[in-house]
Amino acid sequence: MTELERIIEAFERTRGEETPPVLATVVRTSGSTYRRPGARMLITPLGQTFGCVSGGCLERDVVRQARRVFDSGRPRLVTYDSTADDDIRWGLGLGCNGTVDVLLETLRGGGPQMEFLSGCLRERRDGVLAKVFAAAGEIAAQPGNCLWLAEGVAARGTVADAQLHAAVLADARGVLKLGESLSKSYETASGRAEVFIEAVRPPVPLVVFGGGHDAVPLVRFAKDLGWHVTVVDGRPGHASPANFPRADALVPARPESIAERVPLDARTVAVVMNHNYLDDLATLRCLRAVPLKYIGLLGPKGRAERLVAELADEGAAVAGGQAACPYGPVGLDIGADTPEGVALALCAEVPAVLARREGAFSRERRAPPPARAGGRA
C-alpha cells in the first residue's frame, strides 16, 4: 500500500466524525529537502498521523501547527527554513540547507480532493490536483481552493476567480501531459495567488511473466513499494494465490495469449522470468509491440543478447519510445546472487529508469535530486 493509499484509508475512517482531520501538504521546496512537493500527512483530532512531510524532523511541529488549524478551521501555510544559521535554535535541527512550505487545511465537507485522489488510484488513471496555498489582494481565491482534472474527465474545482481558473487550468493540462509537478505564482487583475499543481500518477503497474520461486520476493518487494502487480504464468499452479497472496492480479496464460489476456500500455513495467528460452522469446515478441516503460529480462547477458538477435532476425517490431534491447541481466549491479538480492536490485533499477537516473551512488551525484517521479502515488 502506498503512502497516499494509507492516508486515504485513514481519511475514510474519519467520515462522520464531528471534527474532520487536517491534511498537511508540502506545496513548495527549495534547496536540499528530504521530501518533495506533494508529500502529505493526515492528522486526526487525537494527534494520530498518517504519512510524513519530512524524514521525521518536521512532523512534531506540523502536528503542533495543526492544532491551530483545528481551533480556527482556517488553512495555514507554514515555512520551515533550514538555511538559517539559527536553525538548531528552533529545536528542529534540520540541517538540510533548504526550505519547505507546508499547507495545513481541514478536510471539511467530505474532502472532495481526497475523493479525486482515491478515484485516480482506484481507476488507475493519471490526474492533476492544483491547490492554492497563498493569496493576496482582492482575488477570489483562498488557500485550500482546488482544481482537478483527469484523463477523459472534465475539470472541476473551487477556484472562483475566472482569470486564475483559466490560467491554472492551462498549466494543469500541461502537467497532465508531461507528468511533472510545479509550483507557480499567478498575477491577475484582482490579486496574486500561489498554486501547487501536482501530477497524480497511479502506482507503478508491474507485470511479472513467470511465477517461479524467484518471482515470490520480487512480488513481495514490489507490493511493499506500493506497486500494482500482475503475475502471468500458463503453467498449472504457478500463478496462484498460494504462491502470490499479495498480487493484485493472477493471469494463467501462455505467452501466445498475452495480447488478449494481459492489459499492457505505455505505463507498464514488465519483467520476463519464465526460465524457458522459447517462452521468453514468445513473451518478448508480444511485449516489443507495446511502448512499455521498461522490460527486464532475467538471465545472463549472453542469453539476453541471443534473444534480442533472434527477434531482430524475425523482424519483430519495436514500439515507439521503447528501447531496442530489454534490461538484461536485470537490476542494478549490487552483487546480488540470491532471489531476494536480485529482486532488490530489480526494484531499485525500475525507479531509476522511470526517473531517468543512472542508479549510481547518491554521494557521487552532481545533478540536483530528482523531482517526485511522475507524482507517483
Side-chain angles (χ1 to χ4, degrees), residues 144-228:
N145 285 171
C146 294
L147 179 151
W148 53 89
L149 71 155
E151 292 179 320
V153 179
R156 296 187 297 123
T158 57
V159 179
D161 186 281
Q163 187 178 353
L164 177 63
H165 182 280
V168 172
L169 179 57
D171 286 331
R173 286 173 174 152
V175 169
L176 182 62
K177 181 179 179 180
L178 299 176
E180 297 179 0
S181 303
L182 60 89
S183 297
K184 187 172 179 179
S185 297
Y186 294 88
E187 296 280 354
T188 73
S190 53
R192 180 179 180 181
E194 306 282 343
V195 183
F196 171 50
I197 307 177
E198 178 185 7
V200 180
R201 294 292 176 88
V204 173
L206 169 67
V207 181
V208 180
F209 293 93
H213 72 282
D214 51 353
V216 173
L218 172 58
V219 172
R220 184 172 71 249
F221 292 174
K223 288 304 301 176
D224 286 343
L225 290 169
W227 298 357
H228 183 280

Coordinates of all heavy atoms in Angstrom, one line a residue, residues 144-228:
G144 N -6.3 26.5 0.0 CA -7.2 25.3 0.1 C -8.1 25.1 -1.1 O -8.6 24.0 -1.4
N145 N -8.4 26.2 -1.9 CA -9.2 26.1 -3.1 C -8.4 25.2 -4.1 O -7.2 25.3 -4.2 CB -9.4 27.4 -3.8 CG -10.4 28.3 -3.0 OD1 -10.6 29.5 -3.4 ND2 -11.1 27.7 -2.1
C146 N -9.2 24.3 -4.8 CA -8.5 23.3 -5.6 C -9.2 23.3 -7.0 O -10.3 23.8 -7.2 CB -8.7 21.9 -5.1 SG -7.8 21.6 -3.5
L147 N -8.4 22.8 -8.0 CA -8.9 22.5 -9.3 C -8.3 21.1 -9.6 O -7.2 20.9 -9.4 CB -8.5 23.5 -10.3 CG -8.9 23.4 -11.8 CD1 -9.0 24.7 -12.4 CD2 -7.9 22.5 -12.5
W148 N -9.2 20.2 -10.2 CA -8.7 18.9 -10.5 C -9.2 18.4 -11.9 O -10.3 18.8 -12.3 CB -8.9 17.9 -9.4 CG -10.4 17.8 -9.0 CD1 -11.3 17.0 -9.5 CD2 -11.0 18.5 -7.9 NE1 -12.5 17.2 -8.8 CE2 -12.3 18.1 -7.8 CE3 -10.5 19.5 -7.0 CZ2 -13.2 18.6 -6.9 CZ3 -11.4 20.0 -6.1 CH2 -12.7 19.5 -6.0
L149 N -8.4 17.7 -12.6 CA -8.8 17.1 -13.8 C -8.1 15.8 -14.0 O -7.0 15.5 -13.4 CB -8.6 18.0 -15.0 CG -7.1 18.2 -15.4 CD1 -7.1 18.6 -16.9 CD2 -6.5 19.3 -14.6
A150 N -8.6 14.9 -14.8 CA -8.0 13.6 -15.1 C -8.3 13.2 -16.6 O -9.0 13.9 -17.3 CB -8.6 12.5 -14.2
E151 N -7.6 12.2 -17.0 CA -7.7 11.8 -18.4 C -9.2 11.5 -18.7 O -9.8 10.7 -18.0 CB -6.9 10.5 -18.6 CG -5.4 10.7 -18.6 CD -4.7 9.5 -18.8 OE1 -5.1 8.4 -18.3 OE2 -3.6 9.5 -19.5
G152 N -9.7 12.2 -19.7 CA -11.1 11.9 -20.1 C -12.2 12.4 -19.2 O -13.3 12.1 -19.4
V153 N -11.8 13.3 -18.2 CA -12.7 13.8 -17.3 C -12.6 15.3 -17.3 O -11.5 15.9 -17.2 CB -12.5 13.3 -15.8 CG1 -13.5 13.9 -14.9 CG2 -12.6 11.8 -15.8
A154 N -13.8 16.0 -17.3 CA -13.8 17.5 -17.3 C -13.2 18.0 -16.0 O -13.4 17.4 -15.0 CB -15.2 18.0 -17.6
A155 N -12.6 19.2 -16.1 CA -12.0 19.8 -14.9 C -13.1 20.3 -14.0 O -14.2 20.8 -14.4 CB -11.2 21.0 -15.3
R156 N -12.9 20.2 -12.7 CA -13.8 20.7 -11.7 C -13.0 21.4 -10.6 O -11.8 21.2 -10.5 CB -14.6 19.5 -11.0 CG -15.6 18.8 -12.0 CD -16.4 17.9 -11.3 NE -15.7 16.8 -10.6 CZ -15.7 16.5 -9.3 NH1 -16.5 17.2 -8.5 NH2 -15.0 15.5 -8.9
G157 N -13.6 22.1 -9.7 CA -12.9 22.7 -8.6 C -13.6 23.8 -7.9 O -14.8 24.1 -8.2
T158 N -12.8 24.5 -7.0 CA -13.4 25.5 -6.2 C -12.7 26.9 -6.4 O -12.8 27.7 -5.5 CB -13.3 25.1 -4.7 OG1 -12.0 24.8 -4.4 CG2 -14.2 23.8 -4.5
V159 N -12.0 27.1 -7.5 CA -11.3 28.3 -7.7 C -12.3 29.3 -8.4 O -12.6 29.1 -9.6 CB -10.0 28.1 -8.6 CG1 -9.4 29.5 -8.9 CG2 -9.0 27.2 -7.9
A160 N -12.8 30.3 -7.7 CA -13.9 31.1 -8.2 C -13.4 32.2 -9.2 O -14.1 32.6 -10.0 CB -14.6 31.8 -7.0
D161 N -12.1 32.6 -9.0 CA -11.6 33.7 -9.9 C -11.5 33.2 -11.3 O -10.7 32.3 -11.5 CB -10.3 34.2 -9.3 CG -9.8 35.4 -10.1 OD1 -9.3 35.2 -11.2 OD2 -9.9 36.6 -9.6
A162 N -12.2 33.7 -12.2 CA -12.3 33.2 -13.6 C -10.9 33.3 -14.3 O -10.5 32.3 -15.0 CB -13.3 33.9 -14.4
Q163 N -10.2 34.4 -14.1 CA -8.9 34.6 -14.7 C -7.9 33.6 -14.2 O -7.1 32.9 -14.9 CB -8.4 36.0 -14.5 CG -7.1 36.3 -15.3 CD -6.7 37.8 -15.1 OE1 -7.4 38.6 -14.5 NE2 -5.5 38.1 -15.7
L164 N -7.9 33.4 -12.9 CA -7.0 32.5 -12.2 C -7.3 31.0 -12.6 O -6.5 30.2 -12.9 CB -7.0 32.6 -10.7 CG -6.2 31.6 -9.9 CD1 -4.7 31.8 -10.2 CD2 -6.4 31.8 -8.4
H165 N -8.6 30.7 -12.7 CA -9.1 29.4 -13.0 C -8.6 29.0 -14.4 O -8.0 27.9 -14.7 CB -10.6 29.3 -13.0 CG -11.2 28.0 -13.3 ND1 -11.3 27.5 -14.6 CD2 -11.6 27.0 -12.5 CE1 -11.8 26.3 -14.6 NE2 -12.0 26.0 -13.3
A166 N -8.7 30.0 -15.4 CA -8.3 29.7 -16.7 C -6.8 29.5 -16.8 O -6.3 28.6 -17.6 CB -8.7 30.8 -17.6
A167 N -6.0 30.3 -16.1 CA -4.5 30.2 -16.2 C -4.1 28.9 -15.5 O -3.2 28.2 -16.1 CB -3.9 31.4 -15.5
V168 N -4.6 28.5 -14.4 CA -4.3 27.3 -13.7 C -4.7 26.1 -14.6 O -3.9 25.1 -14.7 CB -4.9 27.2 -12.3 CG1 -4.6 25.9 -11.7 CG2 -4.3 28.3 -11.4
L169 N -5.8 26.1 -15.2 CA -6.3 25.0 -16.0 C -5.4 24.8 -17.1 O -5.1 23.6 -17.5 CB -7.7 25.3 -16.5 CG -8.3 24.2 -17.3 CD1 -8.4 22.9 -16.6 CD2 -9.8 24.6 -17.8
A170 N -4.9 25.8 -17.8 CA -4.0 25.7 -18.9 C -2.7 25.0 -18.5 O -2.2 24.1 -19.1 CB -3.7 27.0 -19.5
D171 N -2.2 25.4 -17.3 CA -0.9 24.8 -16.8 C -1.2 23.4 -16.3 O -0.3 22.5 -16.5 CB -0.4 25.6 -15.7 CG 0.3 26.9 -16.2 OD1 0.8 26.9 -17.3 OD2 0.3 27.9 -15.4
A172 N -2.4 23.1 -15.8 CA -2.7 21.8 -15.3 C -2.8 20.8 -16.4 O -2.3 19.6 -16.3 CB -4.0 21.8 -14.5
R173 N -3.3 21.2 -17.6 CA -3.3 20.4 -18.7 C -1.9 20.0 -19.2 O -1.6 18.9 -19.7 CB -4.1 21.0 -19.9 CG -5.6 21.0 -19.6 CD -6.4 21.8 -20.6 NE -7.8 21.6 -20.4 CZ -8.7 22.6 -20.7 NH1 -8.3 23.7 -21.3 NH2 -10.0 22.3 -20.5
G174 N -1.0 21.0 -19.1 CA 0.4 20.7 -19.4 C 1.1 19.7 -18.5 O 1.8 18.8 -18.9
V175 N 0.7 19.8 -17.2 CA 1.2 18.9 -16.2 C 0.7 17.5 -16.4 O 1.4 16.5 -16.3 CB 0.9 19.4 -14.7 CG1 1.2 18.3 -13.7 CG2 1.7 20.7 -14.4
L176 N -0.6 17.4 -16.8 CA -1.2 16.1 -17.1 C -0.4 15.4 -18.2 O -0.2 14.2 -18.2 CB -2.7 16.3 -17.4 CG -3.5 15.0 -17.7 CD1 -3.5 14.1 -16.5 CD2 -4.9 15.4 -18.2
K177 N 0.0 16.2 -19.2 CA 0.6 15.7 -20.4 C 2.1 15.2 -20.1 O 2.5 14.2 -20.4 CB 0.6 16.7 -21.5 CG 1.3 16.2 -22.8 CD 1.2 17.2 -23.9 CE 1.9 16.8 -25.2 NZ 1.8 17.8 -26.2
L178 N 2.8 16.1 -19.3 CA 4.2 15.9 -19.1 C 4.5 15.1 -17.8 O 5.6 14.5 -17.7 CB 5.0 17.2 -19.0 CG 4.9 18.1 -20.3 CD1 5.6 19.4 -20.0 CD2 5.6 17.3 -21.4
G179 N 3.5 15.1 -16.9 CA 3.7 14.3 -15.6 C 4.7 15.0 -14.7 O 5.2 14.3 -13.8
E180 N 5.0 16.3 -14.8 CA 5.9 16.9 -13.9 C 5.2 18.0 -13.1 O 4.7 19.0 -13.6 CB 7.1 17.6 -14.7 CG 7.9 16.5 -15.4 CD 9.0 17.1 -16.2 OE1 9.1 18.4 -16.2 OE2 9.7 16.4 -16.9
S181 N 5.2 17.9 -11.8 CA 4.5 18.8 -10.9 C 5.3 20.2 -10.9 O 6.4 20.2 -11.2 CB 4.4 18.3 -9.5 OG 3.8 17.0 -9.4
L182 N 4.5 21.2 -10.5 CA 5.2 22.5 -10.4 C 4.4 23.4 -9.4 O 3.2 23.2 -9.1 CB 5.3 23.2 -11.7 CG 4.0 23.5 -12.5 CD1 3.4 24.9 -12.1 CD2 4.2 23.5 -14.0
S183 N 5.2 24.4 -8.8 CA 4.6 25.4 -8.0 C 4.8 26.7 -8.8 O 5.8 27.0 -9.3 CB 5.2 25.5 -6.6 OG 5.1 24.3 -5.9
K184 N 3.7 27.6 -8.8 CA 3.7 28.7 -9.7 C 3.0 29.9 -9.1 O 1.9 29.7 -8.4 CB 3.2 28.4 -11.0 CG 3.3 29.5 -12.1 CD 2.9 29.0 -13.5 CE 3.0 30.1 -14.5 NZ 2.6 29.6 -15.9
S185 N 3.4 31.1 -9.3 CA 2.8 32.3 -8.9 C 1.9 32.9 -10.1 O 2.4 32.8 -11.2 CB 3.8 33.4 -8.5 OG 4.5 33.0 -7.3
Y186 N 0.7 33.4 -9.8 CA -0.2 33.9 -10.8 C -0.6 35.3 -10.4 O -1.0 35.6 -9.3 CB -1.4 33.1 -10.9 CG -1.2 31.7 -11.5 CD1 -0.9 30.6 -10.6 CD2 -1.2 31.4 -12.9 CE1 -0.6 29.3 -11.1 CE2 -1.0 30.1 -13.4 CZ -0.7 29.1 -12.5 OH -0.4 27.9 -13.0
E187 N -0.4 36.3 -11.3 CA -0.9 37.6 -11.1 C -2.2 37.8 -12.0 O -2.2 37.6 -13.2 CB 0.2 38.6 -11.6 CG 1.5 38.6 -10.8 CD 1.3 39.3 -9.4 OE1 0.3 40.0 -9.2 OE2 2.3 39.3 -8.6
T188 N -3.2 38.3 -11.4 CA -4.4 38.6 -12.1 C -4.8 40.1 -11.8 O -4.1 40.8 -11.1 CB -5.6 37.7 -11.6 OG1 -6.0 38.2 -10.3 CG2 -5.2 36.3 -11.6
A189 N -5.8 40.6 -12.4 CA -6.3 41.9 -12.3 C -6.7 42.2 -10.8 O -6.6 43.4 -10.4 CB -7.4 42.2 -13.2
S190 N -7.0 41.2 -10.1 CA -7.5 41.4 -8.7 C -6.6 41.0 -7.6 O -6.9 41.1 -6.5 CB -8.9 40.7 -8.6 OG -8.8 39.3 -8.9
G191 N -5.4 40.4 -8.0 CA -4.5 40.0 -6.9 C -3.6 38.9 -7.4 O -3.4 38.7 -8.6
R192 N -3.0 38.3 -6.4 CA -1.9 37.3 -6.7 C -2.3 36.0 -6.0 O -2.8 36.0 -4.8 CB -0.6 37.8 -6.2 CG 0.6 36.8 -6.5 CD 1.9 37.5 -6.0 NE 3.0 36.6 -6.2 CZ 4.3 36.9 -5.9 NH1 4.5 38.1 -5.3 NH2 5.2 36.1 -6.1
A193 N -1.9 34.8 -6.6 CA -2.1 33.6 -5.9 C -0.9 32.7 -6.2 O -0.3 32.7 -7.2 CB -3.4 32.9 -6.5
E194 N -0.6 31.8 -5.2 CA 0.5 30.8 -5.3 C -0.2 29.5 -5.4 O -1.1 29.2 -4.5 CB 1.4 30.9 -4.1 CG 2.0 32.2 -3.8 CD 3.2 32.5 -4.7 OE1 3.7 31.6 -5.3 OE2 3.5 33.7 -4.8
V195 N 0.1 28.7 -6.4 CA -0.6 27.4 -6.6 C 0.4 26.3 -6.8 O 1.4 26.4 -7.5 CB -1.5 27.6 -7.9 CG1 -2.3 26.3 -8.1 CG2 -2.4 28.8 -7.8
F196 N 0.1 25.2 -6.2 CA 0.9 23.9 -6.4 C 0.1 23.1 -7.3 O -1.1 22.7 -7.0 CB 1.1 23.2 -5.1 CG 1.7 21.8 -5.2 CD1 2.8 21.6 -6.1 CD2 1.2 20.8 -4.6 CE1 3.4 20.4 -6.2 CE2 1.7 19.5 -4.7 CZ 2.8 19.3 -5.5
I197 N 0.6 22.7 -8.5 CA 0.0 21.9 -9.5 C 0.7 20.5 -9.5 O 1.8 20.4 -9.9 CB 0.0 22.5 -10.9 CG1 -0.5 23.9 -10.8 CG2 -0.8 21.7 -11.9 CD1 -0.4 24.7 -12.1
E198 N 0.0 19.5 -9.0 CA 0.6 18.2 -8.7 C 0.1 17.2 -9.8 O -1.1 17.0 -10.0 CB 0.2 17.7 -7.3 CG 0.7 16.3 -7.0 CD 0.2 15.8 -5.7 OE1 -0.7 16.5 -5.1 OE2 0.6 14.7 -5.3
A199 N 1.1 16.5 -10.4 CA 0.8 15.4 -11.2 C 0.5 14.2 -10.4 O 1.4 13.8 -9.6 CB 2.0 15.1 -12.2
V200 N -0.6 13.6 -10.5 CA -1.1 12.4 -9.7 C -1.0 11.2 -10.6 O -1.7 11.1 -11.7 CB -2.5 12.6 -9.2 CG1 -2.9 11.4 -8.4 CG2 -2.6 13.9 -8.4
R201 N -0.1 10.3 -10.3 CA 0.0 9.1 -11.1 C -0.4 7.9 -10.2 O 0.0 7.8 -9.0 CB 1.5 8.9 -11.6 CG 1.9 10.0 -12.6 CD 1.1 9.8 -13.9 NE 1.4 10.9 -14.9 CZ 2.3 10.8 -15.7 NH1 3.2 9.8 -15.7 NH2 2.5 11.8 -16.6
P202 N -1.0 6.9 -10.8 CA -1.4 5.7 -10.0 C -0.1 4.9 -9.8 O 1.0 5.2 -10.4 CB -2.3 4.9 -11.0 CG -2.0 5.5 -12.3 CD -1.6 6.9 -12.1
P203 N -0.2 3.9 -8.9 CA 1.0 3.1 -8.6 C 1.6 2.4 -9.9 O 1.0 2.2 -10.9 CB 0.5 2.0 -7.7 CG -0.7 2.6 -7.0 CD -1.3 3.5 -8.1
V204 N 2.9 2.2 -9.8 CA 3.7 1.6 -10.9 C 3.0 0.2 -11.3 O 2.9 -0.6 -10.4 CB 5.1 1.4 -10.6 CG1 5.8 0.5 -11.7 CG2 5.8 2.7 -10.4
P205 N 2.6 0.0 -12.5 CA 2.0 -1.3 -12.9 C 3.1 -2.2 -13.3 O 3.6 -2.1 -14.4 CB 1.0 -0.9 -14.0 CG 1.6 0.3 -14.6 CD 2.5 1.0 -13.6
L206 N 3.4 -3.2 -12.5 CA 4.4 -4.2 -12.8 C 3.7 -5.5 -13.2 O 2.8 -6.0 -12.5 CB 5.3 -4.5 -11.6 CG 6.2 -5.7 -11.7 CD1 7.3 -5.4 -12.7 CD2 6.8 -6.0 -10.3
V207 N 4.1 -6.0 -14.4 CA 3.7 -7.4 -14.8 C 4.8 -8.3 -14.8 O 5.9 -8.1 -15.5 CB 3.0 -7.3 -16.2 CG1 2.5 -8.7 -16.7 CG2 1.9 -6.3 -16.3
V208 N 4.7 -9.4 -14.1 CA 5.8 -10.4 -14.0 C 5.4 -11.6 -14.8 O 4.4 -12.2 -14.5 CB 6.0 -10.8 -12.5 CG1 7.1 -11.8 -12.4 CG2 6.3 -9.6 -11.6
F209 N 6.2 -11.9 -15.8 CA 5.9 -13.0 -16.7 C 6.8 -14.2 -16.2 O 8.0 -14.3 -16.4 CB 6.2 -12.7 -18.1 CG 5.3 -11.7 -18.7 CD1 5.6 -10.3 -18.7 CD2 4.1 -12.1 -19.3 CE1 4.8 -9.4 -19.2 CE2 3.2 -11.1 -19.8 CZ 3.6 -9.8 -19.8
G210 N 6.1 -15.1 -15.4 CA 6.8 -16.2 -14.8 C 6.5 -16.3 -13.3 O 6.9 -15.3 -12.6
G211 N 6.0 -17.4 -12.9 CA 5.6 -17.5 -11.5 C 6.4 -18.5 -10.7 O 5.9 -19.2 -9.9
G212 N 7.8 -18.5 -11.0 CA 8.7 -19.4 -10.3 C 9.0 -18.9 -8.9 O 8.5 -17.8 -8.4
H213 N 9.8 -19.7 -8.2 CA 10.1 -19.3 -6.8 C 10.8 -18.0 -6.6 O 10.6 -17.2 -5.6 CB 10.9 -20.4 -6.1 CG 12.3 -20.4 -6.6 ND1 12.7 -21.0 -7.8 CD2 13.5 -20.0 -6.0 CE1 14.0 -20.9 -7.9 NE2 14.5 -20.3 -6.9
D214 N 11.6 -17.6 -7.7 CA 12.3 -16.3 -7.6 C 11.4 -15.1 -7.8 O 11.9 -14.0 -7.6 CB 13.5 -16.3 -8.5 CG 13.2 -16.7 -9.9 OD1 12.1 -17.1 -10.2 OD2 14.1 -16.6 -10.8
A215 N 10.2 -15.3 -8.3 CA 9.3 -14.2 -8.5 C 8.6 -13.9 -7.2 O 8.1 -12.8 -7.1 CB 8.2 -14.6 -9.5
V216 N 8.6 -14.8 -6.2 CA 8.0 -14.5 -4.9 C 8.5 -13.3 -4.2 O 7.8 -12.4 -3.8 CB 8.0 -15.8 -4.1 CG1 7.5 -15.5 -2.7 CG2 7.2 -16.9 -4.7
P217 N 9.9 -13.2 -4.0 CA 10.4 -12.0 -3.3 C 10.2 -10.7 -4.2 O 10.0 -9.6 -3.7 CB 11.9 -12.3 -3.1 CG 12.2 -13.4 -4.1 CD 11.0 -14.2 -4.2
L218 N 10.2 -10.9 -5.5 CA 10.0 -9.7 -6.4 C 8.6 -9.1 -6.2 O 8.5 -7.9 -6.0 CB 10.2 -10.1 -7.8 CG 9.9 -9.0 -8.9 CD1 10.6 -7.7 -8.7 CD2 10.1 -9.5 -10.3
V219 N 7.6 -10.0 -6.2 CA 6.3 -9.5 -6.0 C 6.1 -8.9 -4.6 O 5.5 -7.9 -4.4 CB 5.3 -10.7 -6.2 CG1 3.8 -10.3 -5.8 CG2 5.3 -11.2 -7.6
R220 N 6.7 -9.6 -3.6 CA 6.6 -9.1 -2.2 C 7.2 -7.7 -2.1 O 6.6 -6.8 -1.5 CB 7.3 -10.0 -1.2 CG 7.2 -9.6 0.2 CD 7.7 -10.7 1.1 NE 9.1 -10.8 1.1 CZ 9.8 -11.9 0.6 NH1 9.1 -12.9 0.1 NH2 11.1 -11.9 0.7
F221 N 8.5 -7.5 -2.6 CA 9.1 -6.2 -2.6 C 8.3 -5.1 -3.3 O 8.2 -4.0 -2.9 CB 10.5 -6.3 -3.1 CG 11.5 -7.1 -2.3 CD1 12.8 -7.4 -2.8 CD2 11.1 -7.6 -1.1 CE1 13.7 -8.1 -2.0 CE2 12.0 -8.4 -0.3 CZ 13.3 -8.6 -0.8
A222 N 7.8 -5.5 -4.5 CA 7.1 -4.5 -5.3 C 5.8 -4.1 -4.6 O 5.5 -2.9 -4.7 CB 6.7 -5.2 -6.7
K223 N 5.1 -5.0 -3.9 CA 4.0 -4.6 -3.2 C 4.3 -3.7 -2.0 O 3.6 -2.8 -1.6 CB 3.2 -5.9 -2.7 CG 2.5 -6.6 -3.8 CD 1.5 -5.7 -4.6 CE 0.4 -5.1 -3.7 NZ -0.4 -4.2 -4.5
D224 N 5.5 -4.0 -1.3 CA 5.9 -3.1 -0.3 C 6.2 -1.7 -0.8 O 6.0 -0.8 0.0 CB 7.2 -3.7 0.4 CG 6.9 -4.9 1.2 OD1 5.8 -5.2 1.6 OD2 7.9 -5.7 1.5
L225 N 6.5 -1.6 -2.0 CA 6.7 -0.3 -2.6 C 5.4 0.4 -3.1 O 5.5 1.5 -3.6 CB 7.7 -0.4 -3.8 CG 9.2 -0.7 -3.5 CD1 10.0 -1.1 -4.7 CD2 9.8 0.5 -2.8
G226 N 4.3 -0.4 -3.0 CA 3.0 0.2 -3.4 C 2.7 0.0 -4.9 O 1.8 0.6 -5.4
W227 N 3.5 -0.9 -5.6 CA 3.2 -1.1 -7.0 C 2.0 -2.0 -7.2 O 1.6 -2.8 -6.3 CB 4.4 -1.7 -7.7 CG 5.6 -0.9 -7.7 CD1 5.7 0.4 -7.1 CD2 6.9 -1.2 -8.1 NE1 7.0 0.9 -7.3 CE2 7.8 -0.1 -7.9 CE3 7.5 -2.3 -8.7 CZ2 9.1 -0.1 -8.2 CZ3 8.8 -2.3 -9.1 CH2 9.6 -1.3 -8.8
H228 N 1.4 -1.9 -8.4 CA 0.3 -2.7 -8.7 C 0.9 -3.9 -9.5 O 1.5 -3.7 -10.5 CB -0.7 -2.0 -9.6 CG -1.9 -2.8 -10.0 ND1 -1.9 -3.8 -11.0 CD2 -3.2 -2.9 -9.5 CE1 -3.1 -4.3 -11.2 NE2 -3.9 -3.8 -10.2

